[in-house]
Amino acid sequence: MRRYRWSRLADLGFLAFLTACAAVAGAALYYHGQRLERQAATAERRLLEADALHTLDHLEQTLTTVNLTLQSLLETGYTTHDAGTWNTLLADALRHAPHLRSLSLLDDHGQVQASSNPANIGLRPALEDYLPHESGRLGLLRIGSLHTGRDLADGRPVGDPTAAPPELGFLPVIRGVAKGEAGMLSLLATVNVDYFLNRIWAHGLEQTAWIDVLRYDGALLFSTRERALDAAIQTANTDIVTGWRTGYELGGLDQAPAGHTLITTWRVARALPIGVLARAEREQAVQAARLEIHRQAIILVPLIILAMAGVLAGYVALRRDARRRIAAQDRDFDRMACLLDALPASVLLFGQDGRALLTNRAWQEFAATHAAQVPHGALHYRDYARLFRPDGSRSDDTAEAGIGAVLLDEKPAFEGEFTLADGHSALRLLARPFSHDRLRGVVVLQLDVSDRKRAEERNRLLHAALDAAANAIVITDPDAVIEWANPAFAALTGYTPDEAVGRKPKDLISSGRQDAAFYSALWETILRGEVWRGELVNKRKDGQLYHEALTITPVPDRSGRVAHFVAVKEDVTQRKLQEHDLKRLASVDPLTGVSNRRVFMERLAFELARVRRYGEAAALLMLDLDHFKLVNDRHGHAAGDAVLRSFTERAAAELRQTDTLGRLGGEEFAILLPETDEAGACELAERIRLRLAGQPIEYGGQSIAVTVSTGVALLESTDPHADAVLARADEALYRAKQRGRNRIECADALR
């Protein structure tokens, strides 16, 4: 009965779901249709805006041309022209103006005195309604209202702006000019309305749209429509024209006069009292969109119905399959006991009363092995739980509390690790609720994890030992991808283990100081399964370089293939710095930073051997600062030290990379110049002398003038040793001192 009730509820829910889907699909179609109509209306509005802008631009350009034409004619010397001359001028001007019907000259009383059309002569056209009204202001182009007819002789104003536009019409415009005491003259041009209409249609105005050109007072100038306007539309025009006079130069709106909606846009000229209205019927603009919506609905509605029918058929098929599965589950439950016996883990099923309803063979074997602890007879879950003691000390960690909570639906599940009361075996218990028809209870799965716990303890000790190691330790896979790193690695490199795992050491700490051959030899060694030891320079996360003593040990798997690499790293930067400092102290003068006497004499001996072997030229300079004792006596030893450092800096600035500058003692220095003859050596010595003598040394706010004496000697293949070359250069230096200091002497001159 319960299954039948559930089935009825499922059917009702599914029917409600199908109804909701149908409603959503209908709403989506309606929304899509409305969106297409809005898009069509927006596209139509943009087209109307473009048509209004194009019409206004063309109208402004044409009227500006007319204005310039009238201005040019009025400035050609009107006081000297008679009527015949004016007729000729006006006719000539009309030949190149397809936008004009005629040009007429009006006197001070508004009567036509001359015209390109003789029929206009003598007429007195009405000029009172021309805009702008400032007739006294000369130089303005004033625009009249639309006239029906071809020219002034047969034309008459179109008084009703709502009337249908005439088949033949023109637009009069006038411009005046003063002629002194005689009053003023005016030129009146009749503009060809058909010229503008043809240009508008040629631009591609849609058949469903029309354009009205109005003055600021609402008077119609010309229109593309062929029918009269409704009174409601004329009222709307009046409201729009009123807005023009208050500064609304462009805009658009949807109007609904006379029960139908119009899409309206407008543009207003800045220099002329005219504006352009572009309109279209909204119903006609969205007609194509509605046809598209109808076409899509014809396609989509059957598809939706078909889809819903398919879903319904699928639901029916699923229901039938569900009935078959329930029957199969009933049969499967009978086989469950057999299947449980095949499991290596112990399985117990406790009913709602807490008594065991089902156990498998593994539990029975366990109970036989621990017969002293397992109670005999019907097993209750409380008696079963008392076999174990929790690893923790909390009361809710007990097996009895956990299994009982699941049985009472207080917890969805329970699991924990326990030891037997005798303390020899470690077990993992997992309890899950069980429900089958009217049978309810809890299933307990018991796994022996003694071996795993012992392995975990051993691994914990090993992990603790690695974490406590002072040296950085990294474990990688065969491709050198880091799988584990200890805290000492983070202290050494700056990368935490989380940042390092999954990346290669070369991507983290490579400094680029070792070449490809170095790493090639390293990989050849460890891929052979041999241990590699060496030192290299790596880079910390902050970019600081450090020296590292590295030992990489390959770890093979059971098949003998390399599965991991264990790298032990030790920071030997301080040791390297100490070694470098010791080498520097042994080879560099501590005050000036140049080579000391021992290193300099070694390089001099090496260069002398090269001269003997290859016969190339080389020179030696001996330099001594003049009166250096006076510098110490007058300014102090600190100033003397500053003078020595400044001298070495200036001398070094003149040297090549192959040259060697050394301090032999006190204020005495020597420079070794490979591949340099006597002339080159003397030239260099002169540059050093001039640089030192020409620029005093500043120290403590005082200028200390210092000069240098130099002895030059070439290295000869006959020199028995380096001291012999040094002695000849020293002799030349002594000679420079005797001859007044601040000079250069060559040893060859002493021979």
Side-chain angles (χ1 to χ4, degrees), residues 20 43 93 100 111 117 141 214 266 338 358 396 412 431 457 576 588 623 723:
L100 297 178
Q111 186 174 7
N117 183 2
L141 184 69
L214 307 176
W266 67 82
C338 297
L358 179 68
D396 59 354
E457 180 63 19
K576 287 291 185 179
V588 176
L623 305 97
D723 289 333

Side-chain angles (χ1 to χ4, degrees), residues 648-664:
T648 57
E649 291 173 359
R650 297 183 185 184
E654 300 290 340
L655 301 182
R656 303 166 299 180
Q657 291 185 350
T658 57
D659 300 336
T660 302
L661 171 63
R663 184 184 180 192
L664 303 184

Side-chain angles (χ1 to χ4, degrees), residues 321-573:
D321 182 66
R323 293 191 185 98
R324 289 193 296 268
R325 284 190 288 104
I326 291 173
Q329 288 174 359
D330 292 339
R331 293 189 298 270
D332 292 342
F333 186 74
D334 296 334
R335 305 189 188 102
M336 186 170 58
C338 297
L339 296 175
L340 293 178
D341 287 342
L343 295 177
S346 299
V347 179
L348 300 93
L349 174 60
F350 295 99
Q352 283 186 302
D353 60 355
R355 298 184 181 277
L357 302 178
L358 179 68
T359 60
N360 69 342
R361 183 178 295 124
W363 164 254
Q364 295 164 7
E365 294 174 353
F366 177 86
T369 305
H370 301 83
Q373 288 87 17
V374 177
H376 300 283
L379 181 65
H380 196 277
Y381 84 88
R382 291 191 180 91
D383 299 326
Y384 169 76
R386 293 189 183 103
L387 296 174
F388 313 102
R389 62 186 183 189
D391 287 343
S393 59
R394 297 180 301 171
S395 60
D396 59 354
D397 283 339
T398 63
E400 180 180 351
I403 297 173
V406 176
L407 185 62
L408 297 176
D409 292 331
E410 295 176 357
K411 284 185 178 182
F414 169 77
E415 60 182 83
E417 293 187 356
F418 304 86
T419 59
L420 282 177
D422 59 9
H424 296 299
S425 300
L427 300 170
R428 181 173 181 82
L429 302 183
L430 296 93
R432 298 291 187 272
F434 176 84
S435 177
H436 185 76
D437 289 337
R438 296 181 180 181
L439 179 61
R440 295 175 59 84
V442 60
V443 175
V444 178
L445 181 68
Q446 173 185 307
L447 301 171
D448 190 339
V449 293
S450 301
D451 293 339
R452 195 203 72 193
K453 295 290 285 186
R454 286 190 290 269
E456 287 178 353
E457 180 63 19
R458 183 172 62 255
N459 290 338
R460 187 189 66 79
L461 292 175
L462 292 175
H463 194 278
L466 292 175
D467 282 345
N471 292 338
I473 300 175
V474 176
I475 299 176
T476 73
D477 65 8
D479 296 323
V481 176
I482 297 175
E483 296 182 351
W484 182 86
N486 68 343
F489 177 81
L492 175 64
T493 65
Y495 291 97
T496 64
D498 290 339
E499 293 175 320
V501 171
R503 303 174 68 181
K504 295 184 178 182
K506 70 175 184 179
D507 299 330
L508 297 175
I509 58 176
S510 177
S511 65
R513 293 294 185 89
Q514 290 75 226
D515 56 15
F518 175 87
Y519 289 108
S520 177
L522 183 153
W523 276 101
E524 288 179 0
T525 301
I526 60 178
L527 289 178
R528 290 196 303 266
E530 301 176 3
V531 178
W532 183 91
R533 294 181 178 86
E535 294 183 355
L536 64 163
V537 178
N538 278 331
K539 182 173 63 176
R540 292 187 173 92
K541 184 178 181 180
D542 59 4
Q544 182 182 2
L545 299 180
Y546 68 96
H547 291 269
E548 176 184 290
L550 175 63
T551 300
I552 301 178
T553 303
V555 180
D557 58 13
R558 294 181 179 179
S559 64
R561 293 180 299 181
V562 175
H564 294 87
F565 295 111
V566 178
V568 180
K569 301 169 174 286
E570 180 183 1
D571 188 356
V572 295
T573 304

Side-chain angles (χ1 to χ4, degrees), residues 701-725:
Q702 303 180 42
S703 296
I704 305 175
V706 180
T707 60
V708 62
S709 298
T710 307
V712 180
L714 293 177
L715 276 68
E716 303 288 350
S717 59
T718 57
D719 288 326
H721 43 71
D723 289 333
V725 183

